[in-house]
Amino acid sequence: MIATTCARLRGSFIALLLVSLLVVSVAGCGARLSPSQYAAAVGGGGGGAATGAGARQSVASNPAAAGPATSSEGPGASVASADPGAAQPGAAAAPSGGCAPQHSDAPGVTDNEIKLGNVSTISGPIPNFGATGRAGAKAYIDYINSQGGVCGRHVSMVTADDRLDPGVNRSTTEQLESQVLGFVGNTSVEDDGGASVIGGSNVPDCSLTLGSNSITQPNYFSPIPIDPSGQTNDTTAIWQWFKANKGITKVGIVYPDNPTAAARIQGYQNDIAAAGLAVDTPIKVAVTETNYVGVASQMKNNGDDAFITALEINGIAKFAQAIRQVGWTPKAPFYGSQAYSPLLTQLAGPAADGTVLGLAHDIVEGGGPAMENFAQIYKASSSGQPLDFFAIMGWTSAKLCLDAIAAAGAAPTRDAVIGALNQVTNFTADGIIGGSNPAQRKGPTGFDIVTISGGQWQRVYPGQGFAPS
């Protein structure tokens, strides 16, 4: 029976009937699934996720596309996410990497399972803001489970929706804290709520950390850390590239009326000034702003020839359309790294062309092997979610976390996981990130420049890899 199963796993397709037995079968084969085999095993996600600028309905306008574990969430609610291709709870997971699990009394750890928490923004004023970040973390967890888990333990994710409310973020984090070993892939600008509960504790949190309080916590680890002093966003080298290659002289800033977004503005101002550029007075807009014509006109009249925003994807698309409407042609329309998404061309149409971003991560279009692997797995796991900046952050956060759990040994504890994370001073996620230092909260040491041309994302500089920051 195992020989038959092995032969089928090594082919290009496996019947969906066998998906729930995937982990046990692979262990019996004595081999692990490649990303393409994993994607084939789970059927490509039932329709697939766009990895470029292909057609897709925005998850912001389609709540049903938010992915698993979101439909029944509310304040304080939590559910276990579906894990296609993973062993079912209670099943004996096969040892991975030659490691046999040993008993641990750590919260969220049993002899055959590790539970991790995720608190993200799924509903509220910006619906599904955190859906792709959660999907990215889940995709990595799914894939690791298909390899036999972490030291023989199946990894599951317990999730909650903070509704873009710091109080709900706090309460849901507090509720999940006793149930999980740590947190992974949280995607919310309200993560300071959770930091007020677990900040400074021995509960590890591996996420795209954004809040002014959370970025200073010793138990919070981000794949692209933000300077805890708030004095830099590590974008000076990008602005220097725009100055040298685009001839820009004056930069505008647009940000939503949110404390976390506002806290990042000083870092942008400092980085832009450090590049020898003039900085226009930042413009604050409502979180739910829909009309950016006045903003675009003001920046055009002020002589701005470049800009940066802290807007989310729907606001970015509307801003791009407003720029075209007022006849402004900035030399470097840098909407922020969060603009990397196949949704931008869908929502903004031709107005998205000319977008130019400086990123700290690789992109799918012409990307390296690690990004190609991620794209295959994400497409199979994400239930049709867009592969965007936040999905990449979710994936890399999960890798950071699960690598540390594996390093913590056969009987992982929270202290041991944090100890392992404190040793991570050069994190690349196998080449997806331009090199960061999560342990010391230092941002990426490399960047790349990408643009949209003819409705498609393209790499501009360097030809491959990352330029030094």
Side-chain angles (χ1 to χ4, degrees):
M1 176 179 178
I2 287 179
T4 301
T5 304
C6 289
R8 299 182 72 182
L9 286 176
R10 294 189 181 100
S12 62
F13 181 78
I14 181 172
L16 290 177
L17 180 63
L18 296 179
V19 168
S20 64
L21 300 177
L22 189 56
V23 171
V24 176
S25 298
V26 172
C29 295
R32 295 186 174 190
L33 294 180
S34 68
S36 59
Q37 287 172 323
Y38 173 85
V42 297
T51 56
R56 166 183 314 259
Q57 184 177 14
S58 167
V59 294
S61 61
N62 180 16
T70 60
S71 61
S72 62
E73 291 175 345
S78 63
V79 296
S81 69
D83 257 341
Q88 299 303 303
S96 57
C99 177
Q102 298 176 13
H103 180 71
S104 170
D105 291 325
V109 180
T110 67
D111 289 348
N112 57 19
E113 183 180 26
I114 295 172
K115 289 183 179 180
L116 297 172
N118 177 284
V119 181
S120 298
T121 299
I122 305 301
S123 63
I126 308 178
N128 294 307
F129 174 82
T132 57
R134 176 180 290 176
K138 178 183 172 295
Y140 189 79
I141 290 171
D142 285 350
Y143 184 60
I144 291 301
N145 282 333
S146 80
Q147 308 301 290
V150 177
C151 193
R153 288 182 171 93
H154 167 81
V155 183
S156 60
M157 182 189 289
V158 185
T159 66
D161 173 14
D162 73 3
R163 300 189 176 186
L164 199 66
D165 184 312
V168 177
N169 190 286
R170 174 190 173 96
S171 63
T172 52
T173 300
E174 189 170 28
Q175 179 183 354
L176 296 187
E177 185 270 337
S178 63
Q179 304 176 38
V180 300
L181 178 62
F183 290 83
V184 63
N186 295 340
T187 307
S188 173
V189 296
E190 301 296 353
D191 54 1
D192 274 352
S196 66
V197 177
I198 64 170
S201 72
N202 70 339
V203 181
D205 187 309
C206 300
S207 304
L208 176 65
T209 311
L210 298 171
S212 295
N213 183 25
S214 60
I215 63 175
T216 67
Q217 299 304 322
N219 57 315
Y220 277 54
F221 299 85
S222 176
I224 52 170
I226 296 172
D227 175 35
S229 73
Q231 296 304 301
T232 178
N233 288 344
D234 296 308
T235 57
T236 297
I238 294 171
W239 290 112
Q240 289 172 331
W241 191 92
F242 286 145
K243 180 182 179 182
N245 294 275
K246 295 290 186 177
I248 66 172
T249 58
K250 187 178 182 181
V251 182
I253 300 173
V254 184
Y255 69 100
D257 187 8
N258 173 275
T260 296
R264 303 284 76 79
I265 297 310
Q266 186 61 58
Y268 282 130
Q269 290 176 296
N270 293 343
D271 290 354
I272 294 165
L277 297 164
V279 187
D280 199 1
T281 302
I283 300 174
K284 180 172 65 176
V285 300
V287 171
T288 55
E289 182 63 67
T290 59
N291 186 349
Y292 287 87
V293 171
V295 174
S297 295
Q298 180 179 337
M299 297 174 76
K300 176 186 178 183
N301 294 336
N302 287 353
D304 298 343
D305 52 16
F307 60 79
I308 182 74
T309 88
L311 305 174
E312 53 80 39
I313 193 68
N314 292 281
I316 288 170
K318 293 182 186 303
F319 185 32
Q321 292 171 330
I323 288 171
R324 171 167 287 205
Q325 184 176 339
V326 303
W328 180 33
T329 55
K331 296 177 181 178
F334 181 6
Y335 293 96
S337 53
Q338 72 279 11
Y340 178 68
S341 171
L343 294 181
L344 183 53
T345 56
Q346 296 172 39
L347 296 173
D353 267 25
T355 296
V356 59
L357 307 181
L359 301 175
H361 62 78
D362 198 5
I363 63 171
V364 175
E365 300 79 4
M371 182 58 75
E372 291 177 4
N373 289 342
F374 163 50
Q376 287 183 324
I377 296 165
Y378 186 80
K379 180 177 180 180
S381 168
S382 67
S383 301
Q385 297 272 6
L387 195 164
D388 62 6
F389 166 77
F390 294 106
I392 295 168
M393 293 300 101
W395 172 274
T396 54
S397 294
K399 176 170 177 54
L400 180 64
C401 179
L402 269 62
D403 282 357
I405 294 174
T413 65
R414 288 172 168 176
D415 288 334
V417 173
I418 288 180
L421 288 165
N422 277 323
Q423 302 301 311
V424 184
T425 57
N426 183 23
F427 180 68
T428 69
D430 298 324
I432 292 177
I433 300 290
S436 68
N437 186 337
Q440 298 174 359
R441 279 60 177 175
K442 295 181 180 179
T445 56
F447 72 94
D448 55 354
I449 304 294
V450 303
T451 191
I452 294 178
S453 178
Q456 300 292 325
W457 286 104
Q458 298 177 8
R459 175 183 281 266
V460 174
Y461 172 83
Q464 59 183 2
F466 299 93
S469 296

